[in-house]
Short mmCIF file of all heavy atoms in Angstrom, two decimals:
data_model
loop_
_atom_site.label_atom_id
_atom_site.label_comp_id
_atom_site.label_asym_id
_atom_site.label_seq_id
_atom_site.Cartn_x
_atom_site.Cartn_y
_atom_site.Cartn_z
N GLU A 1 -75.90 -218.47 -26.43
CA GLU A 1 -75.29 -217.15 -26.29
C GLU A 1 -75.94 -216.15 -27.23
O GLU A 1 -76.46 -216.52 -28.29
CB GLU A 1 -73.79 -217.23 -26.62
CG GLU A 1 -73.03 -218.20 -25.73
CD GLU A 1 -72.84 -217.68 -24.32
OE1 GLU A 1 -72.31 -216.57 -24.15
OE2 GLU A 1 -73.23 -218.39 -23.37
N MET A 2 -75.86 -214.88 -26.85
CA MET A 2 -76.46 -213.81 -27.65
C MET A 2 -75.47 -212.66 -27.79
O MET A 2 -74.75 -212.32 -26.84
CB MET A 2 -77.75 -213.33 -26.98
CG MET A 2 -78.50 -212.25 -27.74
SD MET A 2 -80.11 -211.95 -26.91
CE MET A 2 -80.71 -210.54 -27.84
N MET A 3 -75.40 -212.07 -28.97
CA MET A 3 -74.58 -210.88 -29.21
C MET A 3 -75.40 -209.86 -29.99
O MET A 3 -76.15 -210.24 -30.89
CB MET A 3 -73.32 -211.24 -30.01
CG MET A 3 -72.28 -212.00 -29.21
SD MET A 3 -70.79 -212.39 -30.17
CE MET A 3 -71.37 -213.80 -31.10
N ASP A 4 -75.24 -208.58 -29.64
CA ASP A 4 -75.96 -207.56 -30.39
C ASP A 4 -75.12 -207.10 -31.58
O ASP A 4 -73.97 -207.53 -31.78
CB ASP A 4 -76.37 -206.40 -29.48
CG ASP A 4 -75.19 -205.57 -28.97
OD1 ASP A 4 -74.04 -205.87 -29.32
OD2 ASP A 4 -75.44 -204.62 -28.20
N LYS A 5 -75.68 -206.21 -32.38
CA LYS A 5 -75.05 -205.80 -33.63
C LYS A 5 -73.67 -205.15 -33.44
O LYS A 5 -72.72 -205.50 -34.17
CB LYS A 5 -75.99 -204.86 -34.39
CG LYS A 5 -75.58 -204.59 -35.83
CD LYS A 5 -76.68 -203.82 -36.56
CE LYS A 5 -76.39 -203.71 -38.06
NZ LYS A 5 -77.52 -203.04 -38.76
N PRO A 6 -73.49 -204.24 -32.49
CA PRO A 6 -72.15 -203.66 -32.30
C PRO A 6 -71.10 -204.71 -31.95
O PRO A 6 -69.95 -204.63 -32.41
CB PRO A 6 -72.35 -202.66 -31.16
CG PRO A 6 -73.79 -202.29 -31.24
CD PRO A 6 -74.49 -203.54 -31.65
N MET A 7 -71.50 -205.70 -31.15
CA MET A 7 -70.53 -206.72 -30.77
C MET A 7 -70.19 -207.64 -31.94
O MET A 7 -69.03 -207.99 -32.15
CB MET A 7 -71.07 -207.55 -29.59
CG MET A 7 -70.09 -208.62 -29.10
SD MET A 7 -68.49 -207.95 -28.60
CE MET A 7 -68.90 -207.29 -26.99
N THR A 8 -71.18 -208.04 -32.70
CA THR A 8 -70.89 -208.92 -33.85
C THR A 8 -69.98 -208.21 -34.85
O THR A 8 -69.10 -208.83 -35.44
CB THR A 8 -72.18 -209.38 -34.55
OG1 THR A 8 -72.96 -208.24 -34.92
CG2 THR A 8 -73.00 -210.27 -33.64
N ALA A 9 -70.18 -206.90 -35.02
CA ALA A 9 -69.32 -206.15 -35.93
C ALA A 9 -67.88 -206.14 -35.43
O ALA A 9 -66.93 -206.30 -36.21
CB ALA A 9 -69.84 -204.72 -36.09
N ALA A 10 -67.71 -205.96 -34.12
CA ALA A 10 -66.37 -205.91 -33.54
C ALA A 10 -65.65 -207.24 -33.68
O ALA A 10 -64.47 -207.30 -34.09
CB ALA A 10 -66.45 -205.50 -32.07
N VAL A 11 -66.34 -208.34 -33.38
CA VAL A 11 -65.66 -209.64 -33.41
C VAL A 11 -65.47 -210.15 -34.84
O VAL A 11 -64.48 -210.84 -35.13
CB VAL A 11 -66.42 -210.69 -32.56
CG1 VAL A 11 -66.45 -210.28 -31.10
CG2 VAL A 11 -67.83 -210.93 -33.07
N GLU A 12 -66.41 -209.81 -35.73
CA GLU A 12 -66.26 -210.27 -37.11
C GLU A 12 -65.03 -209.63 -37.76
O GLU A 12 -64.28 -210.29 -38.50
CB GLU A 12 -67.52 -209.92 -37.92
CG GLU A 12 -67.48 -210.41 -39.36
CD GLU A 12 -67.37 -211.92 -39.50
OE1 GLU A 12 -67.70 -212.63 -38.53
OE2 GLU A 12 -66.95 -212.39 -40.57
N ASP A 13 -64.79 -208.38 -37.45
CA ASP A 13 -63.61 -207.70 -37.98
C ASP A 13 -62.32 -208.28 -37.40
O ASP A 13 -61.27 -208.20 -38.03
CB ASP A 13 -63.70 -206.20 -37.66
CG ASP A 13 -62.59 -205.40 -38.32
OD1 ASP A 13 -62.42 -205.51 -39.54
OD2 ASP A 13 -61.88 -204.68 -37.59
N PHE A 14 -62.44 -208.91 -36.23
CA PHE A 14 -61.27 -209.44 -35.53
C PHE A 14 -60.96 -210.88 -35.93
O PHE A 14 -59.82 -211.22 -36.27
CB PHE A 14 -61.51 -209.34 -34.02
CG PHE A 14 -60.37 -209.80 -33.17
CD1 PHE A 14 -59.04 -209.52 -33.50
CD2 PHE A 14 -60.62 -210.50 -31.99
CE1 PHE A 14 -57.99 -209.94 -32.69
CE2 PHE A 14 -59.57 -210.92 -31.17
CZ PHE A 14 -58.26 -210.64 -31.53
N VAL A 15 -61.98 -211.76 -35.92
CA VAL A 15 -61.71 -213.20 -36.14
C VAL A 15 -62.36 -213.76 -37.40
O VAL A 15 -62.10 -214.92 -37.75
CB VAL A 15 -62.18 -214.03 -34.92
CG1 VAL A 15 -61.43 -213.62 -33.67
CG2 VAL A 15 -63.68 -213.91 -34.69
N HIS A 16 -63.22 -212.99 -38.06
CA HIS A 16 -63.87 -213.45 -39.30
C HIS A 16 -64.59 -214.79 -39.09
O HIS A 16 -64.31 -215.78 -39.75
CB HIS A 16 -62.83 -213.56 -40.43
CG HIS A 16 -61.99 -212.34 -40.58
ND1 HIS A 16 -62.51 -211.12 -40.98
CD2 HIS A 16 -60.66 -212.14 -40.36
CE1 HIS A 16 -61.53 -210.22 -41.02
NE2 HIS A 16 -60.41 -210.80 -40.65
N ALA A 17 -65.54 -214.75 -38.14
CA ALA A 17 -66.27 -215.97 -37.78
C ALA A 17 -67.43 -216.27 -38.72
O ALA A 17 -68.05 -217.32 -38.62
CB ALA A 17 -66.80 -215.84 -36.35
N GLY A 18 -67.73 -215.35 -39.65
CA GLY A 18 -68.84 -215.57 -40.56
C GLY A 18 -70.16 -215.08 -40.03
O GLY A 18 -71.23 -215.56 -40.43
N TYR A 19 -70.15 -214.08 -39.13
CA TYR A 19 -71.37 -213.57 -38.53
C TYR A 19 -72.14 -212.68 -39.50
O TYR A 19 -71.57 -212.03 -40.37
CB TYR A 19 -71.05 -212.77 -37.26
CG TYR A 19 -70.55 -213.60 -36.10
CD1 TYR A 19 -69.87 -213.01 -35.05
CD2 TYR A 19 -70.75 -214.97 -36.06
CE1 TYR A 19 -69.42 -213.75 -33.97
CE2 TYR A 19 -70.30 -215.73 -34.99
CZ TYR A 19 -69.64 -215.11 -33.95
OH TYR A 19 -69.19 -215.86 -32.90
N ASP A 20 -73.45 -212.65 -39.32
CA ASP A 20 -74.35 -211.84 -40.13
C ASP A 20 -74.29 -210.40 -39.61
O ASP A 20 -74.84 -210.09 -38.54
CB ASP A 20 -75.77 -212.40 -40.02
CG ASP A 20 -76.77 -211.65 -40.86
OD1 ASP A 20 -76.41 -210.60 -41.44
OD2 ASP A 20 -77.93 -212.10 -40.93
N LEU A 21 -73.65 -209.52 -40.35
CA LEU A 21 -73.48 -208.15 -39.90
C LEU A 21 -74.73 -207.30 -40.07
O LEU A 21 -74.79 -206.17 -39.59
CB LEU A 21 -72.31 -207.50 -40.64
CG LEU A 21 -70.93 -208.15 -40.38
CD1 LEU A 21 -69.85 -207.44 -41.18
CD2 LEU A 21 -70.60 -208.14 -38.90
N ASN A 22 -75.73 -207.82 -40.77
CA ASN A 22 -76.99 -207.09 -40.93
C ASN A 22 -77.97 -207.37 -39.79
O ASN A 22 -78.96 -206.65 -39.62
CB ASN A 22 -77.65 -207.45 -42.25
CG ASN A 22 -76.84 -206.97 -43.45
OD1 ASN A 22 -76.34 -205.85 -43.45
ND2 ASN A 22 -76.69 -207.83 -44.45
N ALA A 23 -77.69 -208.40 -39.01
CA ALA A 23 -78.61 -208.79 -37.93
C ALA A 23 -78.50 -207.82 -36.76
O ALA A 23 -77.42 -207.35 -36.42
CB ALA A 23 -78.28 -210.21 -37.47
N GLU A 24 -79.63 -207.55 -36.13
CA GLU A 24 -79.63 -206.73 -34.91
C GLU A 24 -79.10 -207.54 -33.74
O GLU A 24 -78.56 -206.98 -32.78
CB GLU A 24 -81.04 -206.22 -34.61
CG GLU A 24 -81.56 -205.20 -35.60
CD GLU A 24 -80.70 -203.95 -35.63
OE1 GLU A 24 -80.28 -203.48 -34.54
OE2 GLU A 24 -80.41 -203.44 -36.74
#
């Protein structure tokens, strides 16, 4: 699966999955 930066920011704020918010 692939997620772009706007999506990772949205889900990280929601579930705190540990995603890299600096990644594109």
Side-chain angles (χ1 to χ4, degrees):
E1 302 287 304
M2 182 173 173
M3 287 181 280
D4 68 1
K5 192 171 188 176
M7 182 57 78
T8 55
V11 298
E12 182 62 20
D13 186 54
F14 182 40
V15 299
H16 310 295
Y19 291 162
D20 182 353
L21 296 180
N22 294 317
E24 291 299 318

